[in-house]
Amino acid sequence: MAVNGVNREGLSKIDKKRKEEYRKELKYLKNNQDTKQNEIERKQNAIEFYKNLNDEQKAVFNKELENRKLRDSYINYLKYVYPDFKITKFHALLANICQSIVEKIENGQKVRVCLSVPFRHGKGYPIDFPILTNKGWKKHGDLQVGDYVYNDKGEQVKVIATQEHYMHPCMKMTFSTGEEHIITREHLWNVSLAYETRRSNGVKRVHGYERRTKLLETQEIVKELQRKNRRPSIFVNAPLQNEDKDLLIDPYVLGLWLGDGLSSDNRIVCSNKDLHDELIGIGDREKYYLKTYKNDKNITYIILGNGKVVFNGYSNNEFTLRLRKLGVFKNKHIPLDYLLASEEQRWELLRGLMDTDGSVERRGYCEYTSIKKELAEDVLILARSLGIKANIISGDATINGKFCSKKYRVCFTGNKYNKYFKINRKQCKLENKIADEDSKEYFIKSIEEVGDKMVSCIQVEGGTYLAGYGLIPTHNSTVLTKTLPSWFVGRNPDKWAILSAYNADLAEEFSDNNRQLIKNEGAKVFNIETNSSQDNKTLFQVHK
């Protein structure tokens, strides 16, 4: 029935609906008020509970709160097990997606998901950049799975993944030693940074600096260069570790010949004041006889080898034949076998070079000088392979002020802990020299944009490898794959996690990392213990 054109039944329904909405809103406000009140009460109870704990109980309680944060948040767990890892926006987004998937599985949902992680996200070198492997130099873009490169500890580490080449924006990083590295903006580095400190000695405030190491992208180091503190730096690598090689010529003897030997025969020119020390160094490693230089009685020839052989139709000394086999006859350089020899063999080679064409000052400054650029560059690589921070400087060689040729000086700071010379008059100048901190770091001078370059990325065991002829330590990482399965299994010890990869080495490395994390952190973070299977390294049991 309508009154004045208004339907009473319609008004009644509208009024009833409004009343229902009003009742719901009152109920919501009351519940919300009760929730807030309950939350306040819970906080007050928690505070009272915490106050009543003794110090030992508080320590256990605080530790459990920290562990709960690690169990509840994958990104917190990731930061905990890899504290130096740089969390980019990409990694944070991916970590949150992974956590949401894990939570859906835990809530009983059947989730089918294919998580495609972009392999090329900017951690690369130009494809023609040189990398030292245990078999010689290779271009970065030519590295293959199974190759062995060197890490910052000098250890040989396997390349476990490579990728196709692609164009990417790059930057040029210049070091104080002169090297230039072209790298992608997102490439990672373990960087030593200086931070200003202010302490009181009881009388006045003392200003100083302390250095801390951070994992930073190339583009982030640019900001650090703008600070007024000391320049950021990369730590010098440890000596490369190789096995002894069966070398054609003793490394110390070859070093003497490369320094003061005649390039076309088997003679070494030696000053009589150093003759005794050099001969002790040669010892019985090589047969030789001595001959005085007819134009100067203060100079003696050390004539190496024994017997005559016929080679290429003309007479040769047996030692000269070995020089030819090494490819150094009339072509002085350090053969690859010697650069890849054991640490002690490389030290012996350096001592031979420094005893002849090397010098040292009382302050510890050492240098090797040669007019042969290739040889000087080889000596630089040799020094770097021994963990020595060296650089090369070019200049003019003159006699009586008259230009003769270009010269190349390989310079570094020595110390009393290493033996750089067998000639005593040189080595004794280092007897009081202590290695300074600057000799252990490559300081970054500048970084600038250079546009797009064709680059490639590799992945190595442990994440760090040496790049360039200067052997500068650089970094890569696959932290998400190395941590998510362990976090999932730690939260769900009754479930299985199957991990796969596109090659066996990669799958095995990821499996090893996750199993090790469960063993190391399972009891502390997840309150679980593991029982490793002895017959199958990819399986292990988890006990709550």
Side-chain angles (χ1 to χ4, degrees):
M1 177 179 179
V3 179
N4 296 329
V6 178
N7 191 313
R8 290 182 178 275
E9 186 177 351
L11 287 173
S12 177
K13 288 181 179 180
I14 292 172
D15 188 53
K16 186 176 181 181
K17 184 177 181 181
R18 285 178 178 173
K19 287 181 179 179
E20 183 65 27
E21 289 176 352
Y22 179 69
R23 279 195 297 269
K24 286 181 179 179
E25 188 169 351
L26 284 177
K27 185 177 180 181
Y28 171 78
L29 291 174
K30 185 176 184 303
N31 290 339
N32 192 39
Q33 186 175 4
D34 291 343
T35 301
K36 287 183 178 179
Q37 184 62 34
N38 291 338
E39 184 68 24
I40 293 172
E41 290 177 1
R42 281 196 296 269
K43 287 182 178 180
Q44 289 175 343
N45 292 336
I47 292 171
E48 289 298 321
F49 170 78
Y50 189 79
K51 285 181 179 179
N52 293 328
L53 297 177
N54 59 39
D55 291 342
E56 185 177 351
Q57 290 171 329
K58 286 180 180 178
V60 173
F61 183 80
N62 291 335
K63 186 62 179 177
E64 175 56 27
L65 284 180
E66 292 176 8
N67 290 338
R68 182 172 293 183
K69 291 177 182 178
L70 302 181
R71 294 193 295 269
D72 292 345
S73 169
Y74 172 51
I75 201 163
N76 285 342
Y77 176 73
L78 194 156
K79 291 177 181 178
Y80 169 73
V81 294
Y82 287 103
D84 294 329
F85 180 67
K86 174 65 181 178
I87 304 293
T88 64
K89 291 181 180 179
F90 167 79
H91 292 110
L93 174 63
L94 190 58
N96 289 333
I97 293 173
C98 290
Q99 174 154 347
S100 67
I101 294 170
V102 168
E103 290 173 348
K104 287 179 180 179
I105 294 171
E106 292 171 341
N107 291 330
Q109 297 184 40
K110 294 182 179 180
V111 180
R112 290 185 179 182
V113 60
C114 179
L115 189 61
S116 178
V117 181
F119 190 24
R120 51 188 193 191
H121 54 284
K123 295 178 174 61
Y125 263 99
I127 58 175
D128 59 350
F129 202 79
I131 303 294
L132 184 62
T133 74
N134 66 341
K135 294 183 178 178
W137 294 99
K138 269 193 170 186
K139 294 179 180 179
H140 197 276
D142 293 338
L143 290 168
Q144 300 292 326
V145 173
D147 286 339
Y148 280 86
V149 296
Y150 295 89
N151 65 12
D152 56 332
K153 298 177 182 177
E155 303 164 335
Q156 296 183 23
V157 289
K158 186 189 291 186
V159 177
I160 56 177
T162 62
Q163 68 169 130
E164 72 276 13
H165 308 161
Y166 62 98
M167 296 295 291
H168 197 83
C170 288
M171 309 182 87
K172 179 172 73 175
M173 179 182 289
T174 303
F175 293 89
S176 58
T177 49
E179 283 106 331
E180 294 180 350
H181 280 220
I182 306 297
I183 60 281
T184 53
R185 295 172 176 174
E186 300 84 359
H187 199 81
L188 294 172
W189 304 85
N190 280 315
V191 184
S192 175
L193 302 173
Y195 290 88
E196 186 176 6
T197 59
R198 297 181 181 182
R199 298 184 179 91
S200 174
N201 61 4
V203 179
K204 61 179 181 179
R205 300 284 288 178
V206 179
H207 294 259
Y209 291 95
E210 66 178 14
R211 297 193 75 82
R212 305 173 195 164
T213 302
K214 281 189 175 182
L215 189 65
L216 297 178
E217 295 180 355
T218 307
Q219 56 193 352
E220 293 177 312
I221 303 175
V222 176
K223 299 176 183 178
E224 297 297 333
L225 286 170
Q226 297 169 354
R227 297 167 60 216
K228 294 182 179 179
N229 296 340
R230 298 185 72 193
R231 290 175 179 169
S233 62
I234 311 294
F235 285 112
V236 174
N237 59 283
L240 306 189
Q241 301 302 310
N242 297 312
E243 294 182 355
D244 275 354
K245 286 188 176 290
D246 185 12
L247 302 171
L248 280 175
I249 298 174
D250 177 81
Y252 178 72
V253 175
L254 181 63
L256 293 177
W257 183 84
L258 288 172
D260 279 348
L262 302 182
S263 64
S264 59
D265 63 41
N266 57 319
R267 290 175 293 173
I268 296 174
V269 181
C270 182
S271 169
N272 286 348
K273 66 180 179 180
D274 296 328
L275 181 62
H276 178 264
D277 288 342
E278 288 190 13
L279 291 180
I280 290 177
I282 296 173
D284 58 359
R285 306 178 187 191
E286 194 72 53
K287 293 180 179 180
Y288 65 88
Y289 64 94
L290 306 177
K291 186 175 181 179
T292 302
Y293 182 48
K294 62 181 180 180
N295 295 330
D296 188 344
K297 292 184 178 181
N298 293 318
I299 299 295
T300 298
Y301 283 131
I302 304 174
I303 303 175
L304 298 164
N306 183 35
K308 300 286 184 178
V309 296
V310 175
F311 188 83
N312 287 345
Y314 57 90
S315 178
N316 269 285
N317 174 274
E318 168 273 332
F319 182 83
T320 308
L321 176 60
R322 282 182 278 148
L323 293 176
R324 289 181 179 276
K325 286 183 178 179
L326 286 174
V328 296
F329 186 77
K330 293 185 179 181
N331 178 29
K332 285 190 175 183
H333 66 278
I334 298 178
L336 183 61
D337 272 356
Y338 286 77
L339 288 175
L340 296 176
S342 69
E343 180 181 352
E344 181 54 30
Q345 286 176 319
R346 297 198 312 276
W347 271 113
E348 284 288 275
L349 176 60
L350 182 64
R351 290 169 191 137
L353 289 159
M354 295 300 291
D355 277 351
T356 49
D357 282 345
S359 61
V360 58
E361 297 180 0
R362 285 286 178 187
R363 291 176 295 174
Y365 299 124
C366 302
E367 70 173 59
Y368 173 85
T369 306
S370 177
I371 60 172
K372 299 182 182 296
K373 184 179 180 181
E374 181 183 3
L375 179 57
E377 290 173 341
D378 285 347
V379 174
L380 175 68
I381 296 170
L382 174 66
R384 292 288 184 90
S385 78
L386 292 166
I388 299 172
K389 177 187 174 182
N391 65 304
I392 192 166
I393 302 171
S394 62
D396 295 337
T398 61
I399 297 178
N400 297 325
K402 188 176 180 180
F403 174 80
C404 297
S405 68
K406 296 292 292 183
K407 67 176 180 179
Y408 304 91
R409 300 159 52 214
V410 179
C411 306
F412 58 90
T413 302
N415 60 72
K416 66 180 182 180
Y417 305 110
N418 292 316
K419 187 174 182 180
Y420 305 89
F421 307 89
K422 286 184 182 289
I423 293 177
N424 187 59
R425 69 177 179 86
K426 295 183 178 182
Q427 183 66 30
C428 69
K429 293 181 180 180
L430 296 171
E431 60 185 9
N432 296 318
K433 178 63 179 175
I434 298 175
D436 56 65
E437 292 301 316
D438 286 0
S439 66
K440 301 175 184 177
E441 300 174 69
Y442 298 118
F443 289 92
I444 300 169
K445 185 178 179 181
S446 63
I447 299 176
E448 57 187 287
E449 298 277 358
V450 292
D452 288 0
K453 302 289 182 183
M454 185 65 72
V455 301
S456 66
C457 293
I458 66 169
Q459 184 182 330
V460 303
E461 296 172 321
T464 302
Y465 63 102
L466 305 182
Y469 293 118
L471 305 179
I472 303 290
T474 188
H475 195 278
N476 66 21
S477 182
T478 52
V479 170
L480 292 179
T481 320
K482 292 179 180 179
T483 55
L484 180 61
S486 65
W487 185 71
F488 172 78
V489 171
R491 285 166 54 111
N492 303 277
D494 57 331
K495 289 183 169 61
W496 285 80
I498 300 175
L499 193 150
S500 64
Y502 53 83
N503 70 50
D505 288 337
L506 206 58
E508 186 172 328
E509 190 208 8
F510 291 159
S511 174
D512 288 343
N513 271 276
N514 281 282
R515 286 187 300 110
Q516 196 60 47
L517 282 175
I518 285 292
K519 289 179 182 179
N520 294 342
E521 310 299 339
K524 291 185 288 185
V525 176
F526 301 105
N527 298 319
I528 59 176
E529 296 180 0
T530 62
N531 178 23
S532 299
S533 171
Q534 299 298 318
D535 56 344
N536 189 342
K537 65 185 295 184
T538 62
L539 297 176
F540 61 94
Q541 296 177 340
V542 180
H543 301 283
K544 188 82 171 178

